[in-house]
Amino acid sequence: MAREALEVERLLISARRHFERALYYLGQAETKSLVDMFLGGLFSAIIDIMEYDDYKKALREIDYAKYYLKQAEKYSSIIPELDDSNLWFITDVAFDSLFADLLRHFKIMEAKRQVENAIREIDEILYRLRSKYRGSETEVMGEEDTAVY
């Protein structure tokens, strides 16, 4: 495999790992969002803060993935653009209601969808890259390469 292709592969795998972590944090935020909607009550503000923290962690992981994708310039178009504004958090805490909770929940679900799409695109690119440079060789990277989300 050409040296350049190996470097691109390494960068894409690193980006994918960060997207997977972002997906994990978004899943955590989604769970907390559901808890907040149905069981929030007196603990709603605490749950909101924990949920927002997970969302911010996901955004940080996406920023790390962006760094690796920008290194592999050709593939930087697959970076998901997520809303990282604090406005929805402030609105949810200040005007805690089912409507605000639903709005945030749908925002988290959309972010998850975008990250899942980015992971899928990286997998397709890695497959094409490996097919092109390795020919008939097949390499199984591990369980995470076959995960279905």
Side-chain angles (χ1 to χ4, degrees):
M1 189 179 236
R3 186 174 175 200
E4 218 174 87
L6 284 172
E7 180 62 15
V8 169
E9 180 182 39
R10 183 189 68 76
L11 291 168
L12 291 173
I13 289 171
S14 295
R16 187 184 193 285
R17 286 186 183 131
H18 285 289
F19 279 135
E20 287 173 346
R21 279 192 281 261
L23 199 56
Y24 168 78
Y25 287 126
L26 288 169
Q28 294 292 309
E30 183 179 29
T31 300
K32 289 176 178 108
S33 174
L34 288 170
V35 169
D36 184 30
M37 280 191 291
F38 297 110
L39 302 173
L42 296 173
F43 303 106
S44 185
I46 295 169
I47 295 170
D48 286 340
I49 291 169
M50 292 169 36
E51 177 186 345
Y52 185 70
D53 184 55
D54 285 335
Y55 187 79
K56 281 303 221 184
K57 286 177 184 175
L59 290 177
R60 187 183 62 229
E61 290 297 332
I62 290 169
D63 285 341
Y64 293 148
K66 285 179 182 181
Y67 168 79
Y68 287 110
L69 289 175
K70 284 182 180 165
Q71 296 295 312
E73 286 176 35
K74 186 175 177 182
Y75 303 107
S76 61
S77 65
I78 64 177
I79 299 172
E81 290 299 323
L82 302 180
D83 180 12
D84 61 347
S85 99
N86 294 330
L87 181 62
W88 64 274
F89 172 70
I90 294 166
T91 303
D92 184 35
V93 172
F95 306 106
D96 194 25
S97 67
L98 184 59
F99 176 73
D101 291 342
L102 278 171
L103 181 67
R104 186 185 61 252
H105 185 74
F106 290 136
K107 188 177 281 273
I108 291 168
M109 288 173 48
E110 175 63 18
K112 275 183 69 175
R113 187 190 62 73
Q114 289 178 0
V115 170
E116 288 168 345
N117 287 343
I119 290 172
R120 226 179 331 274
E121 287 187 49
I122 287 174
D123 288 345
E124 289 172 12
I125 293 166
L126 284 170
Y127 177 77
R128 287 194 309 267
L129 187 68
R130 289 171 181 158
S131 296
K132 181 177 180 181
Y133 287 97
R134 291 192 180 146
S136 61
E137 288 181 41
T138 304
E139 181 178 331
V140 177
M141 297 298 288
E143 182 177 293
E144 68 277 354
D145 287 339
T146 59
V148 177
Y149 299 101

